[in-house]
Amino acid sequence: MFKNFGPGVLIAAAFIGPGTITACTIAGVNFQFTLLWTVLLSIIATIVLQEMSMRVGIITRKGLPEIIRESIKFSWLRYLVLGIVLCAIVLGNTAYEAGNISGATLGLEVLLGGLGSQFYPLIVGGIAFALLYLGSYKTIEKVFIGLVLAMSFSFILTALLTGPNILDVLKGMFIPSLPSDSILNIIALVGTTIVPYNLFLHTSLAKEKWPSKKDIPDARKDTVLSILIGGLVSLAIIICAASIPKTSIMGAMDLALGLEPLYGKAASYLMGIGLFAAGITSAITAPLAAAYVAQSCFDWKKDIKGTKFRLTWMVILLAGVASLSTGIRPIAIIQIAQISNGLLLPIIVIILIGIVNKRSLLGKYSNSIWQNLLCILILILIITLASKSIFEVIGFL
């Protein structure tokens, strides 16, 4: 079974990071099970988009930036789109890397205590550095399978320990509702699941893992199963948070500590393992995705151990460790990254839909009518989400 796991595991690990854990925690505390449907909707949209990205990578043997360069005929538009891609992915992942490392640091604090916690970011950064520097793609893949399984086991078992009402859970998943003041949380849940850099990462990883069109059925199973596991983790976190009194929890760390008096020490340890796994996987995938995007944009040699590739992820990883260790937050960079991400996702989804409808390029693997209908609905959702995100940042500025 594990032999057929591949890039999908890295994609699931990438979107289950500190941001997702925080959004799910707040959703569970404030709205109990009523926003579970949002996670289910986001997972369906993510599967559709990532499956298309996977198909494009396997059949064209190219990364998304390469395809953009070839597809957009007007040079000014091509450079504009590639500039947005670089800002959103490379600059954005640099700005957000401190948050990824902090998630793993929180997990270590739960497991090992606060003594020596000032060194935890260095430990997390060192683990990520060693894996990216020494490991091949196959090594990274195997490590991620282990981390994702540990993360899934931890969060799902903790959710079961809380003994949720199954009927309430099912109602929350399949009967949409909009509680008062929930719209921002809904946007956060969707935005942390449908992640722009995952589309680029999946295309690049799929062409490395799967050498032939004959592998598409296996690649599709890997994508669907891995993202469903990631969705189960998100649902489990909401269920955990819903079991704790509202006044006792504000974020992921409080969630782990808040479970202990109610469900015993084992619950907080399980949550600590999950937090560490979620943080360390995101701390690795963000620099890796940025390096693949830079490689494809600048047409570098296709080599995961190439000097330019390594320098890209090194800068992003070291920037995250330095930012977390010093407490300096690059607010201006984060704001630019948020605007770039808001612009990028609709643009890339439109380009992706265009690519997967080219029969001259994908042949029998091009989109069917029902897939295109799903894409249109997802695109409407994404444009709404992106507009809200951009207006919030502009309003803040």
Side-chain angles (χ1 to χ4, degrees), residues 4-5 210 214-223:
N4 287 328
F5 269 125
W210 313 103
K214 294 184 294 183
D215 296 314
I216 284 181
D218 285 336
R220 188 173 283 131
K221 289 174 190 174
D222 163 58
T223 300

Side-chain angles (χ1 to χ4, degrees), residues 145-182:
I145 289 172
L147 287 170
V148 167
L149 290 176
M151 176 170 61
S152 306
F153 175 80
S154 300
F155 285 124
I156 293 169
L157 185 56
T158 308
L160 293 174
L161 284 175
T162 65
N165 185 305
I166 300 300
L167 288 178
D168 287 343
V169 170
L170 292 174
K171 182 180 176 183
M173 286 178 64
F174 297 107
I175 302 178
S177 62
L178 290 171
S180 177
D181 299 323
S182 66

Side-chain angles (χ1 to χ4, degrees), residues 39-49 227 374 378:
V39 174
L40 186 62
L41 178 66
S42 302
I43 291 302
I44 292 170
T46 302
I47 288 173
V48 172
L49 294 176
I227 294 173
L374 272 176
I378 292 167

Side-chain angles (χ1 to χ4, degrees), residues 67-394:
I67 298 170
I68 291 169
R69 282 207 316 266
E70 295 173 3
S71 301
I72 301 177
K73 302 303 180 185
F74 298 106
S75 58
W76 66 269
L77 183 58
R78 181 167 62 247
Y79 291 130
L80 176 63
V81 173
L82 289 175
I84 293 172
V85 168
L86 284 169
C87 279
I89 307 299
V90 179
L91 194 63
N93 285 1
T94 303
Y96 298 136
E97 181 67 354
N100 296 327
I101 295 171
S102 76
T105 300
L106 287 179
L108 288 178
E109 286 183 19
V110 174
L111 294 170
L112 305 177
L115 187 64
S117 59
Q118 67 271 26
F119 299 111
Y120 290 168
L122 296 174
I123 294 171
V124 173
I127 294 171
F129 187 96
L131 186 59
L132 285 168
Y133 190 85
L134 300 173
S136 62
Y137 168 71
K138 288 185 177 179
T139 304
I140 294 172
E141 187 182 276
K142 287 175 183 176
V143 171
F144 267 67
I145 289 172
L147 287 170
V148 167
L149 290 176
M151 176 170 61
S152 306
F153 175 80
S154 300
F155 285 124
I156 293 169
L157 185 56
T158 308
L160 293 174
L161 284 175
T162 65
N165 185 305
I166 300 300
L167 288 178
D168 287 343
V169 170
L170 292 174
K171 182 180 176 183
M173 286 178 64
F174 297 107
I175 302 178
S177 62
L178 290 171
S180 177
D181 299 323
S182 66
I183 189 65
L184 289 179
N185 208 168
I186 289 172
I187 290 171
L189 288 170
V190 176
T192 59
T193 306
I194 306 173
V195 184
Y197 84 71
N198 277 348
L199 297 173
F200 291 86
L201 184 60
H202 206 167
T203 304
S204 297
L205 295 179
K207 64 186 177 68
E208 289 198 26
K209 169 73 176 183
W210 313 103
S212 166
K213 294 178 183 179
K214 294 184 294 183
D215 296 314
I216 284 181
D218 285 336
R220 188 173 283 131
K221 289 174 190 174
D222 163 58
T223 300
V224 174
L225 183 57
S226 298
I227 294 173
L228 283 177
I229 290 172
L232 281 175
V233 170
S234 295
L235 294 171
I237 296 167
I238 293 177
I239 291 168
C240 290
S243 69
I244 301 175
K246 187 173 181 179
T247 55
S248 67
I249 180 168
M250 292 297 291
M253 183 69 169
D254 295 327
L255 175 59
L257 299 178
L259 287 168
E260 187 175 320
L262 295 171
Y263 306 103
K265 196 77 175 174
S268 65
Y269 280 138
L270 284 169
M271 188 60 64
I273 292 169
L275 285 172
F276 174 76
I280 193 72
T281 51
S282 294
I284 293 169
T285 53
L288 186 65
Y292 272 119
V293 166
Q295 180 190 69
S296 195
C297 279
F298 297 117
D299 201 21
W300 296 338
K301 182 182 177 183
K302 304 297 187 290
D303 182 8
I304 194 173
K305 294 188 178 182
T307 302
K308 294 176 182 177
F309 189 95
R310 279 178 165 172
L311 280 175
T312 304
W313 64 252
M314 281 181 189
V315 168
I316 292 170
L317 182 59
L318 293 174
V321 173
S323 176
L324 192 60
S325 300
T326 59
I328 298 172
R329 281 174 54 81
I331 300 297
I333 295 177
I334 290 173
Q335 288 169 345
I336 292 170
Q338 285 175 316
I339 293 172
S340 299
N341 270 294
L343 291 169
L344 177 63
L345 190 54
I347 292 171
I348 291 305
V349 170
I350 290 169
I351 291 172
L352 194 57
I353 292 171
I355 293 167
V356 294
N357 277 284
K358 280 188 176 180
R359 286 203 164 270
S360 59
L361 190 64
L362 271 71
K364 68 176 184 179
Y365 296 103
S366 56
N367 262 17
S368 63
I369 293 174
W370 70 266
Q371 283 174 313
N372 281 329
L373 288 174
L374 272 176
C375 286
I376 291 169
L377 294 174
I378 292 167
L379 185 58
I380 292 169
L381 173 68
I382 285 169
I383 291 172
T384 305
L385 174 72
S387 302
K388 180 68 177 176
S389 175
I390 293 169
F391 289 143
E392 275 189 6
V393 177
I394 293 173

